[in-house]
Amino acid sequence: MKIALLVAYDGTNFHGFARQKHARTVQGELESRLSLLLRAPIETVGAGRTDAGVHAVGQVVSFDTPSSVEPEWLKLRLNKLLAPEIVVRAAAAMPDDFSARFSAMRREYEYRIYRSPTPDPFRDRFALWVPDRLTLSAMRAAARALIGEHDFSSFCRRGEGSMVRRVRAITFASRGDELIVKIKADSFCHQMVRSIVGLLLDVGMGKRAPEDVGKALRAKHRNAAGPVAAPRGLHLVSVGYPAGHSSGLTGSPRPGSLDPR
């Protein structure tokens, strides 16, 4: 039986999503509890391999069970064992060919920034404090160079094979003193979103010109983009699938998306 989970987590105290032999990770915690509940070794597949300190409200995890199980029972039992750091927001039986990673058609991340006069201890866990003035018009202009299919070698760690990716949209939403940078793509390479945000912040603060983003993209060298933004502001918010692979999970506001909002 194939099961999919819609998962949210506070990534602060985890060494990323992907399992590691000697470190506490989100996937490792999920697999440990699933194996306990189902009385068999369980290996999961995640839609996105978030880094240490990165959060999620819409991570999708899939796995095979050795026998039939009620998804709602599994959701309730997992939440008793894992909440509040990790919460299963929905669980559903899926077609046998479903894979949280390989069936995904798109992924969407948000990077949260707040611009109060002083740091806020109640927000700093999930957003980056930027006291400097940001010029949004310059950031929007800079982001246009990244839309479409490109080689994102300048924005990714080496050693992952092809770094050609298609970015569908980069948008900016301002709410009071909070700025949310939303990036949607078919897929992302390692540290790509944080590298993009780091460069856009430099443009917004006047440290670099908007045209530097296009130059960095064409350079195809990691040093061209500059430092990555801190992990705490990054959130995996949704993963999109073909309509037939998403209808089982509740909380999805539109066909083809396992979106918790």
Side-chain angles (χ1 to χ4, degrees):
M1 183 178 181
K2 180 80 71 174
I3 297 289
L5 307 176
L6 184 64
V7 181
Y9 50 84
D10 173 356
T12 305
N13 296 322
F14 292 102
H15 290 268
F17 173 81
R19 74 178 73 87
Q20 298 181 38
K21 191 172 183 180
H22 299 296
R24 184 171 181 256
T25 69
V26 176
Q27 188 175 37
E29 293 294 293
L30 278 169
E31 290 178 347
S32 172
R33 303 313 189 277
L34 284 167
S35 298
L36 175 68
L37 292 171
L38 299 175
R39 300 181 181 180
I42 300 295
E43 290 192 358
T44 63
V45 175
R49 293 166 59 92
T50 56
D51 288 337
V54 174
H55 316 289
V57 294
Q59 174 74 276
V60 180
V61 175
S62 62
F63 56 93
D64 293 307
T65 66
S67 58
S68 180
V69 62
E70 174 55 47
E72 186 64 19
W73 174 85
L74 194 60
K75 169 190 164 183
L76 294 174
R77 295 295 296 172
L78 283 170
N79 284 338
K80 285 185 178 180
L81 295 172
L82 293 168
E85 278 188 301
I86 302 173
V87 174
V88 177
R89 307 187 72 177
M94 304 298 283
D96 290 340
D97 62 345
F98 176 81
S99 166
R101 179 183 176 189
F102 295 108
S103 299
M105 298 174 64
R106 69 177 183 277
R107 293 155 178 89
E108 183 176 354
Y109 283 85
E110 291 182 353
Y111 196 94
R112 295 178 175 268
I113 299 153
Y114 71 101
R115 299 168 286 174
S116 61
T118 59
D120 185 341
F122 300 103
R123 288 196 285 176
D124 207 67
R125 193 178 180 98
F126 301 103
L128 179 68
W129 178 56
V130 178
D132 306 82
R133 181 178 179 275
L134 295 174
T135 304
L136 288 184
S137 58
M139 296 174 71
R140 289 190 175 99
R144 294 189 194 108
L146 301 172
I147 305 302
E149 185 173 276
H150 305 285
D151 184 332
F152 282 90
S153 295
S154 295
F155 296 88
C156 302
R157 278 191 174 180
R158 294 283 180 187
E160 297 186 2
S162 173
M163 297 188 189
V164 174
R165 299 290 190 273
R166 182 181 294 276
V167 173
R168 299 287 181 175
I170 301 177
T171 59
F172 301 83
S174 187
R175 304 171 185 169
D177 67 356
E178 185 176 56
L179 174 66
I180 302 173
V181 183
K182 302 181 181 183
I183 304 180
K184 183 184 295 185
D186 295 352
S187 63
F188 294 91
C189 49
H190 192 197
Q191 293 191 343
M192 180 173 160
V193 179
R194 290 168 56 202
S195 297
I196 289 173
V197 172
L199 182 49
L200 292 177
L201 284 173
D202 278 351
V203 171
M205 290 184 282
K207 297 179 180 179
R208 300 185 68 169
E211 54 267 26
D212 285 348
V213 174
K215 292 177 182 177
L217 188 66
R218 292 188 293 272
K220 299 178 184 177
H221 192 283
R222 181 64 195 88
N223 291 341
V228 299
R232 65 181 178 275
L234 187 59
H235 305 249
L236 173 58
V237 296
S238 68
V239 184
Y241 296 94
H245 279 165
S246 65
S247 58
L249 282 181
T250 59
S252 177
R254 56 184 185 273
S257 175
L258 300 183
D259 188 329
R261 295 167 297 170

PDB file of all heavy atoms in Angstrom, residues 225-243:
ATOM      1  N   ALA A 225      27.521  34.578  -7.631  1.00  0.00           N
ATOM      2  CA  ALA A 225      26.255  34.952  -6.995  1.00  0.00           C
ATOM      3  C   ALA A 225      26.443  35.530  -5.602  1.00  0.00           C
ATOM      4  O   ALA A 225      25.580  36.252  -5.106  1.00  0.00           O
ATOM      5  CB  ALA A 225      25.316  33.758  -6.942  1.00  0.00           C
ATOM      6  N   GLY A 226      27.535  35.202  -4.944  1.00  0.00           N
ATOM      7  CA  GLY A 226      27.752  35.722  -3.596  1.00  0.00           C
ATOM      8  C   GLY A 226      27.199  34.807  -2.520  1.00  0.00           C
ATOM      9  O   GLY A 226      26.789  33.674  -2.785  1.00  0.00           O
ATOM     10  N   PRO A 227      27.140  35.296  -1.269  1.00  0.00           N
ATOM     11  CA  PRO A 227      26.740  34.459  -0.133  1.00  0.00           C
ATOM     12  C   PRO A 227      25.259  34.086  -0.176  1.00  0.00           C
ATOM     13  O   PRO A 227      24.427  34.819  -0.711  1.00  0.00           O
ATOM     14  CB  PRO A 227      27.048  35.332   1.082  1.00  0.00           C
ATOM     15  CG  PRO A 227      27.000  36.741   0.554  1.00  0.00           C
ATOM     16  CD  PRO A 227      27.516  36.666  -0.855  1.00  0.00           C
ATOM     17  N   VAL A 228      24.949  32.933   0.423  1.00  0.00           N
ATOM     18  CA  VAL A 228      23.561  32.478   0.504  1.00  0.00           C
ATOM     19  C   VAL A 228      22.871  33.139   1.690  1.00  0.00           C
ATOM     20  O   VAL A 228      23.515  33.515   2.677  1.00  0.00           O
ATOM     21  CB  VAL A 228      23.473  30.945   0.632  1.00  0.00           C
ATOM     22  CG1 VAL A 228      24.088  30.263  -0.573  1.00  0.00           C
ATOM     23  CG2 VAL A 228      24.130  30.461   1.917  1.00  0.00           C
ATOM     24  N   ALA A 229      21.557  33.297   1.598  1.00  0.00           N
ATOM     25  CA  ALA A 229      20.776  33.820   2.719  1.00  0.00           C
ATOM     26  C   ALA A 229      20.683  32.755   3.811  1.00  0.00           C
ATOM     27  O   ALA A 229      20.762  31.554   3.549  1.00  0.00           O
ATOM     28  CB  ALA A 229      19.383  34.212   2.239  1.00  0.00           C
ATOM     29  N   ALA A 230      20.502  33.192   5.042  1.00  0.00           N
ATOM     30  CA  ALA A 230      20.421  32.273   6.185  1.00  0.00           C
ATOM     31  C   ALA A 230      19.262  31.295   6.026  1.00  0.00           C
ATOM     32  O   ALA A 230      18.213  31.643   5.468  1.00  0.00           O
ATOM     33  CB  ALA A 230      20.255  33.071   7.475  1.00  0.00           C
ATOM     34  N   PRO A 231      19.403  30.067   6.509  1.00  0.00           N
ATOM     35  CA  PRO A 231      18.362  29.054   6.296  1.00  0.00           C
ATOM     36  C   PRO A 231      17.047  29.338   7.008  1.00  0.00           C
ATOM     37  O   PRO A 231      15.983  28.900   6.545  1.00  0.00           O
ATOM     38  CB  PRO A 231      18.999  27.769   6.818  1.00  0.00           C
ATOM     39  CG  PRO A 231      20.078  28.212   7.748  1.00  0.00           C
ATOM     40  CD  PRO A 231      20.580  29.506   7.189  1.00  0.00           C
ATOM     41  N   ARG A 232      17.058  30.066   8.128  1.00  0.00           N
ATOM     42  CA  ARG A 232      15.855  30.176   8.952  1.00  0.00           C
ATOM     43  C   ARG A 232      14.692  30.884   8.265  1.00  0.00           C
ATOM     44  O   ARG A 232      13.537  30.705   8.655  1.00  0.00           O
ATOM     45  CB  ARG A 232      16.175  30.875  10.270  1.00  0.00           C
ATOM     46  CG  ARG A 232      16.615  32.337  10.156  1.00  0.00           C
ATOM     47  CD  ARG A 232      16.932  32.903  11.534  1.00  0.00           C
ATOM     48  NE  ARG A 232      17.411  34.269  11.497  1.00  0.00           N
ATOM     49  CZ  ARG A 232      18.669  34.630  11.297  1.00  0.00           C
ATOM     50  NH1 ARG A 232      19.583  33.694  11.088  1.00  0.00           N
ATOM     51  NH2 ARG A 232      19.015  35.899  11.290  1.00  0.00           N
ATOM     52  N   GLY A 233      14.947  31.685   7.239  1.00  0.00           N
ATOM     53  CA  GLY A 233      13.863  32.382   6.560  1.00  0.00           C
ATOM     54  C   GLY A 233      13.180  31.567   5.478  1.00  0.00           C
ATOM     55  O   GLY A 233      12.162  31.990   4.929  1.00  0.00           O
ATOM     56  N   LEU A 234      13.717  30.373   5.175  1.00  0.00           N
ATOM     57  CA  LEU A 234      13.222  29.600   4.030  1.00  0.00           C
ATOM     58  C   LEU A 234      12.181  28.565   4.442  1.00  0.00           C
ATOM     59  O   LEU A 234      12.371  27.833   5.414  1.00  0.00           O
ATOM     60  CB  LEU A 234      14.396  28.911   3.340  1.00  0.00           C
ATOM     61  CG  LEU A 234      14.083  28.184   2.029  1.00  0.00           C
ATOM     62  CD1 LEU A 234      13.487  29.130   0.987  1.00  0.00           C
ATOM     63  CD2 LEU A 234      15.340  27.504   1.490  1.00  0.00           C
ATOM     64  N   HIS A 235      11.105  28.498   3.652  1.00  0.00           N
ATOM     65  CA  HIS A 235       9.997  27.573   3.916  1.00  0.00           C
ATOM     66  C   HIS A 235       9.574  26.889   2.618  1.00  0.00           C
ATOM     67  O   HIS A 235       9.306  27.569   1.614  1.00  0.00           O
ATOM     68  CB  HIS A 235       8.782  28.316   4.470  1.00  0.00           C
ATOM     69  CG  HIS A 235       9.059  29.129   5.696  1.00  0.00           C
ATOM     70  ND1 HIS A 235       8.555  28.808   6.937  1.00  0.00           N
ATOM     71  CD2 HIS A 235       9.791  30.270   5.880  1.00  0.00           C
ATOM     72  CE1 HIS A 235       8.966  29.703   7.823  1.00  0.00           C
ATOM     73  NE2 HIS A 235       9.723  30.597   7.201  1.00  0.00           N
ATOM     74  N   LEU A 236       9.516  25.559   2.628  1.00  0.00           N
ATOM     75  CA  LEU A 236       8.909  24.811   1.524  1.00  0.00           C
ATOM     76  C   LEU A 236       7.406  24.854   1.736  1.00  0.00           C
ATOM     77  O   LEU A 236       6.900  24.321   2.724  1.00  0.00           O
ATOM     78  CB  LEU A 236       9.422  23.372   1.515  1.00  0.00           C
ATOM     79  CG  LEU A 236       8.749  22.412   0.523  1.00  0.00           C
ATOM     80  CD1 LEU A 236       8.868  22.892  -0.912  1.00  0.00           C
ATOM     81  CD2 LEU A 236       9.330  21.001   0.677  1.00  0.00           C
ATOM     82  N   VAL A 237       6.677  25.508   0.818  1.00  0.00           N
ATOM     83  CA  VAL A 237       5.252  25.736   1.067  1.00  0.00           C
ATOM     84  C   VAL A 237       4.325  24.820   0.280  1.00  0.00           C
ATOM     85  O   VAL A 237       3.222  24.520   0.731  1.00  0.00           O
ATOM     86  CB  VAL A 237       4.857  27.211   0.826  1.00  0.00           C
ATOM     87  CG1 VAL A 237       5.556  28.123   1.814  1.00  0.00           C
ATOM     88  CG2 VAL A 237       5.157  27.642  -0.599  1.00  0.00           C
ATOM     89  N   SER A 238       4.738  24.358  -0.910  1.00  0.00           N
ATOM     90  CA  SER A 238       3.851  23.471  -1.648  1.00  0.00           C
ATOM     91  C   SER A 238       4.599  22.698  -2.713  1.00  0.00           C
ATOM     92  O   SER A 238       5.661  23.116  -3.187  1.00  0.00           O
ATOM     93  CB  SER A 238       2.689  24.248  -2.291  1.00  0.00           C
ATOM     94  OG  SER A 238       3.160  25.098  -3.319  1.00  0.00           O
ATOM     95  N   VAL A 239       4.032  21.555  -3.061  1.00  0.00           N
ATOM     96  CA  VAL A 239       4.558  20.704  -4.118  1.00  0.00           C
ATOM     97  C   VAL A 239       3.400  20.372  -5.049  1.00  0.00           C
ATOM     98  O   VAL A 239       2.319  19.999  -4.581  1.00  0.00           O
ATOM     99  CB  VAL A 239       5.169  19.408  -3.551  1.00  0.00           C
ATOM    100  CG1 VAL A 239       5.790  18.575  -4.673  1.00  0.00           C
ATOM    101  CG2 VAL A 239       6.206  19.726  -2.478  1.00  0.00           C
ATOM    102  N   GLY A 240       3.612  20.525  -6.349  1.00  0.00           N
ATOM    103  CA  GLY A 240       2.543  20.290  -7.316  1.00  0.00           C
ATOM    104  C   GLY A 240       2.696  18.961  -8.021  1.00  0.00           C
ATOM    105  O   GLY A 240       3.804  18.553  -8.381  1.00  0.00           O
ATOM    106  N   TYR A 241       1.560  18.278  -8.216  1.00  0.00           N
ATOM    107  CA  TYR A 241       1.529  16.970  -8.870  1.00  0.00           C
ATOM    108  C   TYR A 241       0.429  16.933  -9.928  1.00  0.00           C
ATOM    109  O   TYR A 241      -0.480  17.779  -9.913  1.00  0.00           O
ATOM    110  CB  TYR A 241       1.248  15.865  -7.838  1.00  0.00           C
ATOM    111  CG  TYR A 241       2.321  15.711  -6.807  1.00  0.00           C
ATOM    112  CD1 TYR A 241       2.229  16.368  -5.583  1.00  0.00           C
ATOM    113  CD2 TYR A 241       3.438  14.920  -7.051  1.00  0.00           C
ATOM    114  CE1 TYR A 241       3.228  16.243  -4.627  1.00  0.00           C
ATOM    115  CE2 TYR A 241       4.434  14.782  -6.099  1.00  0.00           C
ATOM    116  CZ  TYR A 241       4.332  15.443  -4.891  1.00  0.00           C
ATOM    117  OH  TYR A 241       5.313  15.333  -3.957  1.00  0.00           O
ATOM    118  N   PRO A 242       0.464  15.953 -10.832  1.00  0.00           N
ATOM    119  CA  PRO A 242      -0.683  15.747 -11.722  1.00  0.00           C
ATOM    120  C   PRO A 242      -1.947  15.545 -10.899  1.00  0.00           C
ATOM    121  O   PRO A 242      -1.891  15.017  -9.787  1.00  0.00           O
ATOM    122  CB  PRO A 242      -0.304  14.480 -12.492  1.00  0.00           C
ATOM    123  CG  PRO A 242       1.186  14.391 -12.402  1.00  0.00           C
ATOM    124  CD  PRO A 242       1.551  14.969 -11.065  1.00  0.00           C
ATOM    125  N   ALA A 243      -3.068  15.966 -11.441  1.00  0.00           N
ATOM    126  CA  ALA A 243      -4.324  15.943 -10.686  1.00  0.00           C
ATOM    127  C   ALA A 243      -4.631  14.575 -10.094  1.00  0.00           C
ATOM    128  O   ALA A 243      -5.103  14.460  -8.971  1.00  0.00           O
ATOM    129  CB  ALA A 243      -5.476  16.407 -11.572  1.00  0.00           C
TER     130      ALA A 243
END
